[in-house]
Amino acid sequence: MKVLTLLNCSLLFLLCSCSKPVYKVEKMSTELSIQESSMVNSLTILPPVWRLVFSDEFNSTGNFDTSKWMYCQRQTSAWNKYLTSTSDYVYQDGSDLVLKMDNAVIAGDNVPYHSGGIQTSTKFNIRYGKIEVRAKFKKGQGSWPAIWMMPETPTSYGGWPNSGEIDIMEHVNYENTIHQTIHNGSVTNANGVSTATHSASYNAADYNIYSVVWNPSAIEFYVNDVLQYTYSKAVNATSLQWPFDRAFYLILNQAGGAGWPGAITSADLPFNMNVDWVKIYKQEELGNPGLELATLSPWVAGPTTAVVTTNVATGSKAIREQGGATTLEQTVTGLLPNTTYVFGGYGKVSTTGESVIIGVKNYGGSSMGSQITSTNYQHASVTFTTGATNTSATVYFYKPNAGTVYGDDFYLNKQ
């Protein structure tokens, strides 16, 4: 999708919250540093753990869910010049979201065509994750359905294409392939044409799943779970080649009649793209969040801290801390500066009067923790904002005194 104007975007992200108060822990850094010399760790490459953070099945009738989507607004680019913000052009039919384009005459709206599009801008965006859309569309001369992503506003690296664009799927006219494309200041020329693009076959008679897996070093494009194309971050890359370290939002639209597909053949109208569902997953910021792997890595364990198969909250494993003061820590890198995160999890103590603290340090602010004193598993979390130049944080599960405590199901989410 060749875009000259960027749209507003903000983040709506569902997170767990904690009913317990958050305590500032004045001596936390000193106490934890005592343990660091005796901590052990092993290096392990961990598989991704995907968590569903956004979905829509479009199984209602009538208007779309306005808590998740908003209309794409008509502007002057080829893809948005005929957008029409009414339920005649974007609607749910009981099983699909339907995005339509036709040449109907609308009083007071003197354009030759009308088309539909929605986006998650101002509702939801994501940096890194797996984005999947199951859809089908009608071929036609002048048709241009698309599933794609744009960066939030204000854009970090300047106007289009410098702040990036991720085209998960585009189709034009009667072609037998779909297009999956990257735009940025390095690969996109003055005419809006990108050299980072791939054409993939698809089943024109049925729904297909179009998806990307986006991580800090690459964006992988898939059709029906088959890898088609990978765009990788270059060594020593600048934002010119890799602006893809900021949050993007999702756009679904049916366009046509301008730009890439050319003129419309009226006999082919109406055009439509039917979307069965959208599913977006976030890869956990934490490695091994539920302690279910055969190793503690990338957690770092203090003395008398071990993975056990008893006293679990969920799954088959938990962490146990015994004896005197001890801790479990993980330093998470690749965070965004000036960004709010929530670290949380579940813990319990063996005997009334004991305690354990879920907390964070080394993020650009004072160490803070939330205390757990229950003999039953209890949820606790801390909310923190990284400093202006901080891109990492150390999260911990810290037992300050004698006794035995258990922990499980930790998480770190961008708010």
Side-chain angles (χ1 to χ4, degrees), residues 128-151:
Y128 311 143
K130 178 165 64 174
I131 298 91
E132 298 183 320
V133 181
R134 186 173 189 262
K136 66 177 181 179
F137 47 83
K138 174 187 173 183
K139 293 182 177 182
Q141 176 56 46
S143 179
W144 188 10
I147 301 165
W148 54 302
M149 301 182 75
M150 287 293 290

Side-chain angles (χ1 to χ4, degrees), residues 1-6 149-152 154-166 182-190 192 231 237-246 248:
M1 197 61 71
K2 313 305 179 279
V3 182
L4 301 179
T5 304
L6 300 180
M149 301 182 75
M150 287 293 290
E152 64 180 321
T155 50
S156 298
Y157 303 118
W160 190 88
N162 292 326
S163 287
E165 176 180 328
I166 304 170
I182 286 291
H183 287 283
N184 59 37
S186 174
V187 300
T188 304
N189 66 23
Y231 181 80
T238 67
S239 64
L240 196 68
Q241 189 268 336
W242 188 261
F244 305 108
D245 58 356
R246 295 295 185 264
F248 279 55

Side-chain angles (χ1 to χ4, degrees), residues 316-383:
S316 62
K317 296 176 184 176
I319 196 73
R320 182 188 65 200
E321 296 178 345
Q322 292 181 309
T326 188
T327 190
L328 180 75
E329 296 186 2
Q330 185 175 150
T331 297
V332 184
T333 59
L335 302 181
L336 292 171
N338 286 324
T339 301
T340 301
Y341 292 85
V342 174
F343 170 62
Y346 294 81
K348 70 175 183 175
V349 301
S350 292
T351 305
T352 300
E354 298 173 352
S355 66
V356 66
I357 297 167
I358 282 179
V360 63
K361 64 176 183 175
N362 302 335
Y363 63 92
S366 300
S367 298
M368 64 171 71
S370 184
Q371 191 175 52
I372 293 172
T373 59
S374 174
T375 55
N376 296 314
Y377 265 113
Q378 172 188 340
H379 174 257
S381 69
V382 289
T383 301

Side-chain angles (χ1 to χ4, degrees), residues 60-328:
S60 299
T61 57
N63 196 23
F64 54 83
D65 185 344
T66 56
S67 71
K68 298 178 178 180
W69 306 91
M70 64 178 292
Y71 285 110
C72 298
Q73 298 301 307
R74 184 181 299 176
Q75 297 183 51
T76 58
S77 296
W79 77 273
N80 59 28
K81 67 186 301 181
Y82 300 127
L83 286 169
T84 306
S85 299
T86 74
S87 58
D88 291 330
Y89 294 93
V90 184
Y91 60 90
Q92 296 182 95
D93 67 0
S95 60
D96 288 348
L97 175 77
V98 181
L99 303 155
K100 189 175 77 170
M101 183 174 193
D102 65 19
N103 57 357
V105 176
I106 299 178
D109 189 11
N110 188 28
V111 291
Y113 305 104
H114 295 89
S115 66
I118 58 172
Q119 60 191 3
T120 63
S121 173
T122 76
K123 312 291 182 177
F124 175 83
N125 66 28
I126 191 169
R127 182 192 70 145
Y128 311 143
K130 178 165 64 174
I131 298 91
E132 298 183 320
V133 181
R134 186 173 189 262
K136 66 177 181 179
F137 47 83
K138 174 187 173 183
K139 293 182 177 182
Q141 176 56 46
S143 179
W144 188 10
I147 301 165
W148 54 302
M149 301 182 75
M150 287 293 290
E152 64 180 321
T153 301
T155 50
S156 298
Y157 303 118
W160 190 88
N162 292 326
S163 287
E165 176 180 328
I166 304 170
D167 295 329
I168 302 171
M169 188 285 296
E170 295 180 277
H171 181 266
V172 292
N173 303 328
Y174 282 97
E175 290 187 358
N176 293 320
T177 58
I178 59 94
H179 302 271
Q180 297 179 304
T181 305
I182 286 291
H183 287 283
N184 59 37
S186 174
V187 300
T188 304
N189 66 23
N191 295 321
V193 177
S194 173
T195 57
T197 187
H198 175 76
S199 297
S201 60
Y202 74 105
N203 184 354
D206 202 352
Y207 293 90
N208 295 264
I209 299 174
Y210 304 102
S211 58
V212 295
V213 174
W214 170 23
N215 62 53
S217 61
I219 301 173
E220 299 174 339
F221 292 83
Y222 293 80
V223 176
N224 297 322
D225 300 320
V226 178
L227 179 63
Q228 302 292 326
Y229 173 62
T230 300
Y231 181 80
S232 298
K233 182 179 180 180
V235 176
N236 300 320
T238 67
S239 64
L240 196 68
Q241 189 268 336
W242 188 261
F244 305 108
D245 58 356
R246 295 295 185 264
F248 279 55
Y249 61 88
L250 181 65
I251 304 169
L252 310 172
N253 75 283
Q254 172 67 63
W260 186 6
I264 289 174
T265 297
S266 296
D268 288 347
L269 291 170
F271 302 141
N272 59 272
M273 178 167 68
N274 284 43
V275 180
D276 183 21
W277 48 253
V278 171
K279 297 177 183 179
I280 299 178
Y281 302 84
K282 177 70 175 176
Q283 186 170 343
E284 292 285 358
E285 302 280 5
L286 285 176
N288 198 10
L291 292 310
E292 295 298 315
L293 301 181
T295 174
L296 267 174
S297 180
W299 293 101
V300 178
T304 62
T305 297
V307 174
V308 294
T309 56
T310 59
N311 290 279
V312 302
T314 65
S316 62
K317 296 176 184 176
I319 196 73
R320 182 188 65 200
E321 296 178 345
Q322 292 181 309
T326 188
T327 190
L328 180 75

Side-chain angles (χ1 to χ4, degrees), residues 9-79:
C9 186
S10 63
L11 178 66
L12 179 64
F13 208 91
L14 300 176
L15 298 168
C16 297
S17 62
C18 177
S19 59
K20 294 292 290 183
V22 173
Y23 300 94
K24 293 286 183 180
V25 184
E26 299 296 338
K27 297 194 290 184
M28 191 64 64
S29 294
T30 301
E31 292 171 339
L32 289 176
S33 66
I34 296 172
Q35 308 298 332
E36 288 170 356
S37 62
S38 58
M39 291 179 183
V40 294
N41 193 14
S42 60
L43 296 177
T44 302
I45 298 175
L46 301 172
V49 178
W50 296 111
R51 173 174 46 85
L52 185 67
V53 295
F54 179 97
S55 65
D56 203 331
E57 301 286 343
F58 303 115
N59 288 333
S60 299
T61 57
N63 196 23
F64 54 83
D65 185 344
T66 56
S67 71
K68 298 178 178 180
W69 306 91
M70 64 178 292
Y71 285 110
C72 298
Q73 298 301 307
R74 184 181 299 176
Q75 297 183 51
T76 58
S77 296
W79 77 273

